[in-house]
Amino acid sequence: MTECSTENKITNIDIEEILRTIPHRYPMLLIDRVLELELDKYSKAIKNVTFNEPFFNGHFPEKPIMPGVLIIEAMAQTAGVLVRKTLTGNTKLVYFMTIENAKFRKPVVPGDQLELTATKIKSKANVWKFEGVGRVNGQVTTEATFSIAIVG
């Protein structure tokens, strides 16, 4: 584990720690590293997009583009790590509830490093709402507002 923390900030959460934190596994685990998170506030992760991803076989064979729904899922996983780290000792699952105002501004293609941020807007009981942004080389590729439910 290469995780470092200072009070409410945690940096450099590697893949082994991600696997201990959220239940997703190949081919649905869509984040490779959490660069930083501040408990109860935001999380920033990366996805290294490679041509070997299984979805590129059909999306699209002649012009591979990462499906938007998977970019949004990667944002939710970024938020899921934040929730699980914030609610220490919590073994409950985090489920997608809603997606609002999704915008896809630029394609994400093999060779890109997709940076994902999930910023908590509010929480009420077991529902947390986030603003998510995807970027490649500093340019916004994807934006969405989404909610997740903590269940179990």
Side-chain angles (χ1 to χ4, degrees):
M1 177 172 73
T2 58
E3 179 180 324
C4 300
S5 65
T6 55
E7 301 225 5
N8 288 338
K9 272 200 173 179
I10 302 171
T11 59
N12 203 27
I13 300 172
D14 64 20
I15 192 65
E16 288 90 10
E17 182 64 17
I18 292 169
L19 290 167
R20 286 190 290 271
T21 305
I22 60 176
H24 303 78
R25 298 296 180 263
Y26 177 85
M28 283 306 298
L29 181 60
L30 296 171
I31 57 175
D32 296 313
R33 178 175 300 276
V34 176
L35 300 174
E36 65 184 59
L37 68 77
E38 186 170 347
L39 298 176
D40 202 37
K41 293 193 180 197
Y42 75 93
S43 184
K44 183 189 298 185
I46 57 169
K47 164 68 176 157
N48 294 307
V49 182
T50 72
F51 185 71
N52 297 325
E53 307 283 354
F55 49 80
F56 285 133
N57 287 327
H59 200 269
F60 300 98
E62 300 297 317
K63 180 86 171 140
I65 297 172
M66 185 171 181
V69 68
L70 294 181
I71 297 170
I72 304 289
E73 171 64 26
M75 286 179 190
Q77 291 177 20
T78 302
V81 172
L82 172 63
V83 170
R84 294 292 303 270
K85 289 291 188 184
T86 298
L87 305 176
T88 57
N90 185 336
T91 58
K92 296 181 179 184
L93 292 175
V94 178
Y95 289 155
F96 232 133
M97 258 183 76
T98 65
I99 302 169
E100 304 169 32
N101 304 318
K103 295 182 175 97
F104 304 98
R105 303 199 178 277
K106 186 176 180 210
V108 176
V109 300
D112 285 346
Q113 184 174 73
L114 179 61
E115 182 182 284
L116 304 145
T117 56
T119 304
K120 180 180 164 188
I121 298 171
K122 65 181 178 178
S123 62
K124 185 175 182 183
N126 288 338
V127 177
W128 290 34
K129 188 170 187 173
F130 290 90
E131 178 180 300
V133 179
R135 291 181 177 84
V136 172
N137 295 324
Q139 294 186 334
V140 173
T141 62
T142 315
E143 298 172 285
T145 302
F146 59 92
S147 298
I148 58 176
I150 303 163
V151 298

